[in-house]
Amino acid sequence: MSPEDFEFISTLIKGRSGLVLTPDKAYLLESRLMPVARKHGLKGLEDLIGHLRSRKEEALIVEVTEAMTTNESFFFRDVKPFDLLRDEVLPPILEKRQAQKHLRIWCAAASSGQEPYSIAIILKELGVKLAGWKIDIVGTDISHDILKKAAGGMYSQFEVQRGMPIQLLLKYFDKKDETWEIKPEIKTMVQYKYWNLLDDLKQLGGFDIVFCRNVLIYFDAETKGKVLDNISRLMPKDGMLFLGGAETVLGVTDKFKPVQGQRGVYALS
């Protein structure tokens, strides 16, 4: 691939998704975009890039962008953030909202749904403590295909084995042939929407808790700062943000500060 072609495709992908591709990651272009090229009857990446340059077809640009985004997720990923949510973050927030009995949680880059469903299960396990509450869990992503899978709530044996405790699996999933389906009582707790983190977030509404885990690592510093600043505007003063283990707000934004003793959890400054 010529430097000009790499510059074109990496600029296009960054502009659409925020994903930063450095030359050492050029191999990802071949592994993820060759199937797209073949689907459209094109010989290789050069032809695909030439097609994008000359025709600027919106549907193809969306397809290329979706192919390049990582859709890696599993239930209760890294465990600790979900323990912190249940034991440290939720109790004071629920206490403060006893009057209105309304809680909103956003999972940015929800991928195939394991994260929002994990949160829904945590809330379901609280039982009578949330009787009469209105709970909104919103999962967003920039891949239409992955959102369709998330909304379907169907997972393979391999997928449910990645993080889902057996007692919760048997309690909240139904076995159907070789797959496991999330029960309706959990599935209906989550609403999925197509959304790009680079777009205006205000239309999503406000959120008490935001999970934006393992997303910012793919952005450059400027994009990280803009996304975090925009997220901060959606949250009340006592709102809480969860980031991935390799992510931080330090040196990126002054809108959030780490919560002492709660690694990966951030409060508004």
Side-chain angles (χ1 to χ4, degrees):
M1 183 188 305
S2 70
E4 293 78 19
D5 278 353
F6 179 81
E7 178 68 22
F8 171 81
I9 194 71
S10 60
T11 299
L12 174 69
I13 291 166
K14 182 188 175 187
R16 285 306 183 101
S17 69
L19 174 65
V20 175
L21 279 172
T22 50
D24 62 306
K25 293 286 181 14
Y27 68 92
L28 287 174
L29 290 170
E30 184 152 358
S31 64
R32 297 186 182 181
L33 295 186
M34 276 303 294
V36 177
R38 293 192 192 101
K39 177 183 171 183
H40 290 271
L42 302 169
K43 292 180 180 178
L45 288 188
E46 289 186 5
D47 286 352
L48 177 62
I49 292 170
H51 201 77
L52 288 167
R53 282 183 188 274
S54 62
R55 304 197 183 187
K56 294 183 172 57
E57 294 176 8
E58 181 62 23
L60 182 58
I61 292 172
V62 170
E63 196 173 343
V64 164
T65 303
E66 290 191 5
M68 287 306 301
T69 55
T70 301
N71 290 308
E72 170 73 3
S73 184
F74 46 96
F75 293 102
F76 297 101
R77 185 175 185 175
D78 303 327
V79 182
K80 188 64 175 176
F82 297 94
D83 290 343
L84 289 172
L85 173 68
R86 181 190 62 234
D87 301 332
E88 305 292 341
V89 173
L90 277 173
I93 287 182
L94 293 178
E95 186 177 345
K96 290 176 183 175
R97 284 152 182 71
Q98 273 295 333
Q100 62 266 46
K101 286 185 166 22
H102 188 195
L103 180 72
R104 299 199 82 224
I105 300 175
W106 175 30
C107 293
S111 188
S112 44
Q114 286 94 324
E115 182 178 84
Y117 287 139
S118 296
I119 293 170
I121 288 172
I122 286 174
L123 293 169
K124 195 70 175 178
E125 285 287 285
L126 291 176
V128 294
K129 291 182 180 178
L130 290 179
W133 280 69
K134 185 178 188 302
I135 306 292
D136 299 323
I137 303 173
V138 179
T140 64
D141 206 278
I142 63 169
S143 169
H144 291 91
D145 288 343
I146 209 69
L147 286 170
K148 197 177 297 181
K149 173 176 169 57
M154 301 285 289
Y155 299 95
S156 67
Q157 184 69 38
F158 175 72
E159 288 172 317
V160 296
Q161 283 176 334
R162 301 182 78 191
M164 179 59 65
I166 184 65
Q167 70 273 21
L168 296 180
L169 174 63
L170 297 175
K171 188 174 181 180
Y172 294 115
F173 288 75
D174 290 318
K175 186 80 161 66
K176 295 195 173 179
D177 297 322
E178 298 303 311
T179 61
W180 292 84
E181 183 176 9
I182 288 270
K183 286 182 182 286
E185 62 193 272
I186 299 299
K187 196 184 293 187
T188 55
M189 291 177 68
V190 184
Q191 178 186 8
Y192 290 100
K193 292 182 179 181
Y194 176 87
W195 216 274
N196 191 324
L197 284 174
L198 305 186
D199 292 340
D200 184 4
L201 302 179
K202 292 195 292 292
Q203 296 177 52
L204 287 171
F207 294 96
D208 304 292
I209 298 168
V210 174
F211 274 63
C212 187
R213 304 183 64 235
N214 307 303
V215 184
L216 300 181
I217 51 174
Y218 300 106
F219 298 164
D220 60 22
E222 181 183 3
T223 306
K224 289 177 186 176
K226 286 180 179 177
V227 169
L228 288 171
D229 288 355
N230 289 337
I231 289 174
S232 73
R233 298 187 184 100
L234 306 181
M235 303 172 72
K237 290 181 180 179
D238 61 348
M240 296 296 235
L241 168 70
F242 285 76
L243 297 180
E247 298 165 328
T248 183
V249 300
L250 300 176
V252 179
T253 179
D254 58 2
K255 303 294 185 183
F256 291 96
K257 61 184 178 183
V259 176
Q260 190 171 2
Q262 297 182 26
R263 188 166 182 268
V265 182
Y266 300 84
L268 287 169
S269 299

